[in-house]
Each structure stands twice: as structure tokens, then as C-alpha cells.
Short mmCIF file of all heavy atoms in Angstrom, two decimals:
data_model
loop_
_atom_site.label_atom_id
_atom_site.label_comp_id
_atom_site.label_asym_id
_atom_site.label_seq_id
_atom_site.Cartn_x
_atom_site.Cartn_y
_atom_site.Cartn_z
N SER A 287 125.88 103.30 311.63
CA SER A 287 124.56 103.90 311.98
C SER A 287 124.37 103.81 313.47
O SER A 287 125.14 103.07 314.19
CB SER A 287 123.34 103.02 311.28
OG SER A 287 123.42 101.72 311.74
N ARG A 288 123.52 104.65 314.04
CA ARG A 288 123.40 104.72 315.51
C ARG A 288 123.00 103.37 316.08
O ARG A 288 123.44 103.05 317.24
CB ARG A 288 122.35 105.81 315.85
CG ARG A 288 122.27 106.12 317.34
CD ARG A 288 121.39 107.25 317.67
NE ARG A 288 121.57 107.69 319.06
CZ ARG A 288 120.96 108.73 319.48
NH1 ARG A 288 120.23 109.53 318.74
NH2 ARG A 288 121.11 109.04 320.78
N ASP A 289 122.14 102.63 315.45
CA ASP A 289 121.77 101.25 315.97
C ASP A 289 122.85 100.24 315.79
O ASP A 289 122.78 99.13 316.25
CB ASP A 289 120.50 100.84 315.41
CG ASP A 289 120.54 100.67 313.82
OD1 ASP A 289 121.56 100.66 313.26
OD2 ASP A 289 119.46 100.55 313.27
N GLY A 290 123.92 100.60 315.06
CA GLY A 290 125.06 99.69 314.83
C GLY A 290 124.80 98.58 313.87
O GLY A 290 125.60 97.58 313.71
N LEU A 291 123.64 98.68 313.06
CA LEU A 291 123.33 97.56 312.14
C LEU A 291 123.80 97.80 310.80
O LEU A 291 123.88 96.91 310.00
CB LEU A 291 121.80 97.40 312.17
CG LEU A 291 121.19 97.02 313.58
CD1 LEU A 291 119.70 96.87 313.41
CD2 LEU A 291 121.83 95.74 314.07
N THR A 292 124.10 99.14 310.45
CA THR A 292 124.51 99.45 309.03
C THR A 292 125.90 100.09 309.09
O THR A 292 126.17 100.98 309.90
CB THR A 292 123.47 100.45 308.32
OG1 THR A 292 122.18 99.90 308.43
CG2 THR A 292 123.90 100.73 307.02
N LEU A 293 126.76 99.55 308.27
CA LEU A 293 128.08 100.14 308.09
C LEU A 293 128.15 100.92 306.75
O LEU A 293 127.74 100.38 305.70
CB LEU A 293 129.13 99.00 308.04
CG LEU A 293 130.53 99.44 307.81
CD1 LEU A 293 131.19 100.29 308.99
CD2 LEU A 293 131.44 98.30 307.47
N TRP A 294 128.50 102.19 306.88
CA TRP A 294 128.70 103.04 305.61
C TRP A 294 130.19 103.10 305.32
O TRP A 294 131.00 103.28 306.18
CB TRP A 294 128.17 104.43 305.96
CG TRP A 294 126.72 104.56 306.06
CD1 TRP A 294 126.00 104.41 307.16
CD2 TRP A 294 125.78 104.64 304.99
NE1 TRP A 294 124.67 104.47 306.98
CE2 TRP A 294 124.48 104.65 305.62
CE3 TRP A 294 125.91 104.87 303.65
CZ2 TRP A 294 123.33 104.74 304.87
CZ3 TRP A 294 124.65 104.97 302.92
CH2 TRP A 294 123.44 104.99 303.49
N THR A 295 130.57 102.89 304.06
CA THR A 295 131.90 103.02 303.61
C THR A 295 132.06 103.92 302.41
O THR A 295 131.20 103.97 301.59
CB THR A 295 132.48 101.56 303.18
OG1 THR A 295 131.73 101.02 302.13
CG2 THR A 295 132.49 100.63 304.40
N GLY A 296 133.21 104.68 302.43
CA GLY A 296 133.57 105.52 301.30
C GLY A 296 134.84 105.07 300.61
O GLY A 296 135.70 104.66 301.33
N GLY A 297 134.90 105.09 299.32
CA GLY A 297 136.10 104.44 298.72
C GLY A 297 136.73 105.44 297.77
O GLY A 297 136.18 106.48 297.25
N LEU A 298 138.03 105.06 297.44
CA LEU A 298 138.79 105.75 296.44
C LEU A 298 138.29 105.48 295.04
O LEU A 298 138.76 106.11 294.01
CB LEU A 298 140.23 105.49 296.54
CG LEU A 298 140.88 105.87 297.92
CD1 LEU A 298 142.33 105.57 298.07
CD2 LEU A 298 140.62 107.35 298.26
N ASP A 299 137.31 104.49 294.91
CA ASP A 299 136.59 104.23 293.66
C ASP A 299 135.45 105.19 293.46
O ASP A 299 134.65 105.06 292.58
CB ASP A 299 136.13 102.81 293.60
CG ASP A 299 135.23 102.45 294.73
OD1 ASP A 299 134.86 103.36 295.60
OD2 ASP A 299 134.80 101.24 294.79
N SER A 300 135.26 106.30 294.32
CA SER A 300 134.28 107.33 294.24
C SER A 300 132.84 106.72 294.51
O SER A 300 131.91 107.30 294.05
CB SER A 300 134.29 108.01 292.89
OG SER A 300 135.57 108.58 292.61
N THR A 301 132.73 105.69 295.22
CA THR A 301 131.41 105.20 295.64
C THR A 301 131.15 105.23 297.10
O THR A 301 132.10 105.01 297.96
CB THR A 301 131.22 103.69 295.09
OG1 THR A 301 132.16 102.85 295.78
CG2 THR A 301 131.34 103.62 293.61
N LEU A 302 129.91 105.48 297.56
CA LEU A 302 129.44 105.40 298.91
C LEU A 302 128.59 104.12 299.04
O LEU A 302 127.66 103.98 298.17
CB LEU A 302 128.63 106.62 299.28
CG LEU A 302 127.84 106.55 300.62
CD1 LEU A 302 128.91 106.58 301.75
CD2 LEU A 302 126.85 107.68 300.71
N ARG A 303 128.88 103.25 299.89
CA ARG A 303 128.11 102.03 300.01
C ARG A 303 127.68 101.88 301.42
O ARG A 303 128.25 102.34 302.39
CB ARG A 303 128.95 100.78 299.56
CG ARG A 303 129.48 100.98 298.19
CD ARG A 303 130.45 99.85 297.79
NE ARG A 303 131.14 100.16 296.54
CZ ARG A 303 131.15 99.31 295.53
NH1 ARG A 303 130.50 98.20 295.57
NH2 ARG A 303 131.84 99.68 294.35
N SER A 304 126.52 101.11 301.62
CA SER A 304 126.15 100.75 302.94
C SER A 304 126.00 99.24 302.94
O SER A 304 125.73 98.57 301.98
CB SER A 304 124.76 101.40 303.28
OG SER A 304 123.74 100.93 302.43
N TRP A 305 126.20 98.68 304.15
CA TRP A 305 126.31 97.13 304.36
C TRP A 305 125.54 96.77 305.59
O TRP A 305 125.62 97.29 306.59
CB TRP A 305 127.83 96.82 304.56
CG TRP A 305 128.67 97.28 303.41
CD1 TRP A 305 129.29 98.55 303.40
CD2 TRP A 305 129.01 96.60 302.28
NE1 TRP A 305 130.02 98.66 302.31
CE2 TRP A 305 129.89 97.52 301.51
CE3 TRP A 305 128.72 95.40 301.73
CZ2 TRP A 305 130.40 97.14 300.28
CZ3 TRP A 305 129.29 95.00 300.54
CH2 TRP A 305 130.10 95.94 299.79
N ASP A 306 124.91 95.61 305.44
CA ASP A 306 124.42 94.79 306.58
C ASP A 306 125.59 93.87 306.94
O ASP A 306 125.72 92.86 306.25
CB ASP A 306 123.15 94.03 306.22
CG ASP A 306 122.61 93.23 307.41
OD1 ASP A 306 123.37 92.86 308.31
OD2 ASP A 306 121.37 93.00 307.37
N PHE A 307 126.39 94.20 307.94
CA PHE A 307 127.53 93.47 308.15
C PHE A 307 127.21 92.03 308.77
O PHE A 307 128.04 91.17 308.69
CB PHE A 307 128.58 94.17 308.99
CG PHE A 307 128.23 94.30 310.43
CD1 PHE A 307 128.62 93.37 311.43
CD2 PHE A 307 127.40 95.39 310.89
CE1 PHE A 307 128.30 93.47 312.71
CE2 PHE A 307 127.07 95.49 312.22
CZ PHE A 307 127.56 94.53 313.15
N ARG A 308 126.08 91.97 309.46
CA ARG A 308 125.70 90.68 309.96
C ARG A 308 125.45 89.60 308.95
O ARG A 308 125.84 88.49 309.03
CB ARG A 308 124.48 90.77 310.86
CG ARG A 308 124.64 91.69 312.16
CD ARG A 308 123.41 91.82 312.77
NE ARG A 308 122.43 92.53 311.92
CZ ARG A 308 121.13 92.74 312.13
NH1 ARG A 308 120.65 92.38 313.28
NH2 ARG A 308 120.34 93.31 311.26
N GLN A 309 124.82 90.00 307.78
CA GLN A 309 124.58 89.18 306.67
C GLN A 309 125.63 89.21 305.61
O GLN A 309 125.58 88.62 304.61
CB GLN A 309 123.16 89.40 306.03
CG GLN A 309 122.01 89.13 307.16
CD GLN A 309 120.73 89.35 306.43
OE1 GLN A 309 120.52 89.49 305.26
NE2 GLN A 309 119.66 89.42 307.28
N ARG A 310 126.61 90.11 305.86
CA ARG A 310 127.71 90.30 304.86
C ARG A 310 127.23 90.65 303.51
O ARG A 310 127.72 90.13 302.50
CB ARG A 310 128.59 89.10 304.93
CG ARG A 310 129.05 88.55 306.16
CD ARG A 310 130.02 89.43 306.87
NE ARG A 310 130.67 88.75 308.06
CZ ARG A 310 130.27 88.93 309.26
NH1 ARG A 310 129.29 89.78 309.60
NH2 ARG A 310 130.93 88.31 310.25
N ARG A 311 126.22 91.62 303.34
CA ARG A 311 125.70 91.90 302.06
C ARG A 311 125.62 93.43 301.94
O ARG A 311 125.40 94.16 302.89
CB ARG A 311 124.42 91.32 301.80
CG ARG A 311 123.19 91.73 302.71
CD ARG A 311 121.94 90.99 302.42
NE ARG A 311 120.87 91.42 303.27
CZ ARG A 311 119.98 92.41 302.82
NH1 ARG A 311 120.15 92.96 301.71
NH2 ARG A 311 119.06 92.80 303.71
N GLU A 312 125.66 93.92 300.71
CA GLU A 312 125.57 95.31 300.39
C GLU A 312 124.16 95.66 300.36
O GLU A 312 123.30 95.02 299.68
CB GLU A 312 126.32 95.62 299.02
CG GLU A 312 126.30 97.00 298.61
CD GLU A 312 127.11 97.25 297.31
OE1 GLU A 312 128.22 96.93 297.18
OE2 GLU A 312 126.37 97.73 296.36
N LEU A 313 123.86 96.81 300.92
CA LEU A 313 122.45 97.37 300.95
C LEU A 313 122.25 98.38 299.84
O LEU A 313 121.17 98.49 299.24
CB LEU A 313 122.11 97.94 302.32
CG LEU A 313 122.17 97.00 303.48
CD1 LEU A 313 122.00 97.72 304.84
CD2 LEU A 313 121.15 95.90 303.34
N SER A 314 123.18 99.28 299.65
CA SER A 314 123.04 100.36 298.66
C SER A 314 124.38 100.80 298.22
O SER A 314 125.41 100.55 298.81
CB SER A 314 122.28 101.52 299.30
OG SER A 314 123.11 102.11 300.36
N LYS A 315 124.37 101.45 297.01
CA LYS A 315 125.60 102.03 296.46
C LYS A 315 125.26 103.35 295.71
O LYS A 315 124.22 103.44 295.05
CB LYS A 315 126.19 101.00 295.45
CG LYS A 315 127.33 101.58 294.64
CD LYS A 315 127.84 100.51 293.62
CE LYS A 315 128.90 101.12 292.72
NZ LYS A 315 129.26 100.09 291.65
N ALA A 316 126.12 104.35 295.98
CA ALA A 316 125.87 105.63 295.28
C ALA A 316 127.13 106.10 294.64
O ALA A 316 128.18 106.07 295.32
CB ALA A 316 125.36 106.65 296.26
N ASN A 317 127.16 106.55 293.43
CA ASN A 317 128.36 107.14 292.80
C ASN A 317 128.49 108.55 293.13
O ASN A 317 127.52 109.33 293.17
CB ASN A 317 128.28 106.95 291.26
CG ASN A 317 128.36 105.48 290.88
OD1 ASN A 317 129.20 104.67 291.33
ND2 ASN A 317 127.41 104.96 290.03
N CYS A 318 129.75 108.95 293.41
CA CYS A 318 129.99 110.30 293.73
C CYS A 318 130.82 111.02 292.70
O CYS A 318 131.42 110.27 291.81
CB CYS A 318 130.71 110.48 295.10
SG CYS A 318 129.58 109.94 296.50
N ALA A 319 131.02 112.33 292.73
CA ALA A 319 131.66 113.05 291.68
C ALA A 319 133.26 112.91 291.74
O ALA A 319 133.94 113.21 290.80
CB ALA A 319 131.31 114.57 291.78
N ALA A 320 133.77 112.52 292.87
CA ALA A 320 135.23 112.32 293.12
C ALA A 320 135.45 111.28 294.18
O ALA A 320 134.53 110.76 294.81
CB ALA A 320 135.79 113.67 293.44
N GLN A 321 136.78 110.97 294.33
CA GLN A 321 137.16 110.10 295.45
C GLN A 321 136.63 110.56 296.83
O GLN A 321 136.69 111.78 297.17
CB GLN A 321 138.60 109.92 295.47
CG GLN A 321 139.20 109.16 294.26
CD GLN A 321 140.74 109.07 294.35
OE1 GLN A 321 141.38 110.04 294.81
NE2 GLN A 321 141.27 107.90 293.96
N ILE A 322 136.17 109.67 297.62
CA ILE A 322 135.68 109.97 298.97
C ILE A 322 136.79 109.77 299.97
O ILE A 322 137.45 108.80 300.08
CB ILE A 322 134.46 109.07 299.36
CG1 ILE A 322 133.34 109.24 298.34
CG2 ILE A 322 134.06 109.30 300.75
CD1 ILE A 322 132.31 108.21 298.50
N PHE A 323 137.02 110.87 300.75
CA PHE A 323 138.06 110.80 301.85
C PHE A 323 137.51 110.81 303.29
O PHE A 323 138.21 110.59 304.21
CB PHE A 323 139.04 111.95 301.62
CG PHE A 323 140.10 111.55 300.66
CD1 PHE A 323 139.91 111.63 299.25
CD2 PHE A 323 141.35 111.14 301.00
CE1 PHE A 323 140.79 111.35 298.34
CE2 PHE A 323 142.35 110.78 300.13
CZ PHE A 323 142.09 110.86 298.73
N SER A 324 136.18 111.20 303.37
CA SER A 324 135.63 111.32 304.73
C SER A 324 134.10 111.10 304.63
O SER A 324 133.53 111.40 303.59
CB SER A 324 135.92 112.64 305.37
OG SER A 324 135.57 113.68 304.59
N LEU A 325 133.47 110.62 305.72
CA LEU A 325 132.04 110.48 305.70
C LEU A 325 131.51 110.49 307.13
O LEU A 325 132.22 110.18 308.07
CB LEU A 325 131.56 109.25 304.96
CG LEU A 325 131.72 107.83 305.49
CD1 LEU A 325 130.67 107.46 306.47
CD2 LEU A 325 131.84 106.86 304.37
N GLY A 326 130.22 110.75 307.24
CA GLY A 326 129.55 110.60 308.52
C GLY A 326 128.07 110.47 308.36
O GLY A 326 127.53 111.02 307.40
N CYS A 327 127.38 109.73 309.25
CA CYS A 327 125.98 109.66 309.22
C CYS A 327 125.38 110.25 310.44
O CYS A 327 126.00 110.33 311.48
CB CYS A 327 125.55 108.23 309.03
SG CYS A 327 126.07 107.04 310.29
N THR A 328 124.17 110.89 310.30
CA THR A 328 123.59 111.62 311.33
C THR A 328 123.18 110.63 312.46
O THR A 328 122.93 109.44 312.17
CB THR A 328 122.28 112.36 310.91
OG1 THR A 328 121.40 111.39 310.37
CG2 THR A 328 122.58 113.42 309.89
N PRO A 329 123.10 111.12 313.67
CA PRO A 329 122.70 110.30 314.82
C PRO A 329 121.28 109.73 314.62
O PRO A 329 120.86 108.77 315.26
CB PRO A 329 122.75 111.18 316.05
CG PRO A 329 123.73 112.22 315.64
CD PRO A 329 123.60 112.42 314.15
N THR A 330 120.43 110.42 313.78
CA THR A 330 119.09 109.96 313.49
C THR A 330 119.04 109.02 312.30
O THR A 330 117.93 108.52 311.87
CB THR A 330 118.15 111.20 313.31
OG1 THR A 330 118.81 112.05 312.28
CG2 THR A 330 117.96 111.91 314.52
N ASP A 331 120.12 108.77 311.67
CA ASP A 331 120.32 107.90 310.57
C ASP A 331 119.54 108.22 309.31
O ASP A 331 119.23 107.37 308.51
CB ASP A 331 119.97 106.42 311.02
CG ASP A 331 120.96 105.83 312.02
OD1 ASP A 331 122.15 106.25 311.97
OD2 ASP A 331 120.58 104.94 312.79
N ASP A 332 119.21 109.50 309.21
CA ASP A 332 118.33 109.88 308.01
C ASP A 332 119.22 110.57 306.93
O ASP A 332 118.72 110.82 305.82
CB ASP A 332 117.14 110.63 308.37
CG ASP A 332 117.49 111.83 309.24
OD1 ASP A 332 118.67 111.97 309.77
OD2 ASP A 332 116.63 112.67 309.55
#
């Protein structure tokens, strides 16, 4: 994320996840239709 507080990850398990890396905890998880090979978040983080 632009503020550097949230890490977004995409996996070959077809899930998109977000993390609070300071507290080492998962914030959200979304299942996708296929394996994820690339991702990006907007500069406005929305």
C-alpha cells in the first residue's frame, strides 16, 4: 500500500491476501478464479 503498512500477496493457491506485516497477521483473504501471477494496488489504496 502507499503508506507501506499493508502488504498484498497473490498466490498459486488462487488467493489474494493482505497483511499487517508489523503485527505479522492476515487482514483479508479473497478467492480468485485461477492462479494469480501479478497484482497491483492503486496509489490511493482503494
